[in-house]
Amino acid sequence: MVNKTFLIAFIIIILDRIAKLIFFNSSSLNKGAAFSVLQGYNWLFILVAVIVIIYIFIKRNEKQYQIGMGFLLGGTIGNLIDRMFYNGVIDFISFLSIPKFNISDVSNIIGALLMIYMMKKNDAGKKSRKR
């Protein structure tokens, strides 16, 4: 059986790549992190991405976090591909006055929020069992 983490990550990577091909003409290259901070530190973002990927591979069998880790893994790999091939991240979604972003960015946010939610939920469950 395929691990949920890898299945979700695979779907996100494919969607991200297809969207970037379709919207390439209206895209921009972000050579920094969110809101274009730390421009010129592409090597640092690649290093952080590799660390996140290794961590997720180590923790991939923790069932309660698999969905969140899948979103995070897919987003991390999607942006890592851009950083390795384009020396930055291809952003193409523009919403109101928020700087441009991409599917991988949204996936990273969803994954992080899901994992935080599960951590809080597990922590609350542990506290209630102690009583």
Side-chain angles (χ1 to χ4, degrees):
M1 185 170 130
V2 176
N3 184 304
K4 281 186 213 175
T5 302
F6 299 126
L7 180 61
I8 293 167
F10 178 75
I11 291 168
I12 289 167
I13 294 165
I14 297 301
L15 290 174
D16 186 60
R17 299 314 317 157
I18 290 170
K20 287 174 180 174
L21 286 171
I22 292 170
F23 298 105
F24 190 78
N25 290 336
S26 63
S27 67
S28 61
L29 188 65
N30 179 359
K31 294 190 175 214
F35 308 109
S36 298
V37 298
L38 296 175
Q39 294 217 9
Y41 288 91
N42 199 48
W43 62 270
L44 177 63
F45 302 123
I46 290 172
L47 177 64
V48 169
V50 169
I51 291 169
V52 168
I53 292 166
I54 291 169
Y55 178 80
I56 290 172
F57 270 81
I58 291 169
K59 299 291 188 177
R60 70 184 177 271
N61 291 321
E62 293 190 22
K63 294 212 181 283
Q64 69 269 27
Y65 299 112
Q66 283 184 346
I67 295 172
M69 286 191 300
F71 276 93
L72 195 56
L73 181 63
T76 301
I77 292 173
N79 280 339
L80 178 62
I81 291 168
D82 285 356
R83 291 194 183 283
M84 291 173 57
F85 288 100
Y86 304 107
N87 199 32
V89 174
I90 298 170
D91 289 334
F92 61 90
I93 301 170
S94 185
F95 182 72
L96 300 173
S97 61
I98 300 170
K100 283 187 175 181
F101 55 97
N102 61 50
I103 291 172
S104 289
D105 296 337
V106 174
S107 177
N108 284 332
I109 292 168
I110 291 170
L113 290 175
L114 284 171
M115 290 180 67
I116 290 167
Y117 170 76
M118 290 307 296
M119 286 177 195
K120 295 281 187 188
K121 184 178 172 184
N122 289 340
D123 191 40
K126 287 177 184 175
K127 287 180 182 175
S128 69
R129 282 189 293 247
K130 286 183 179 179
R131 292 182 186 182

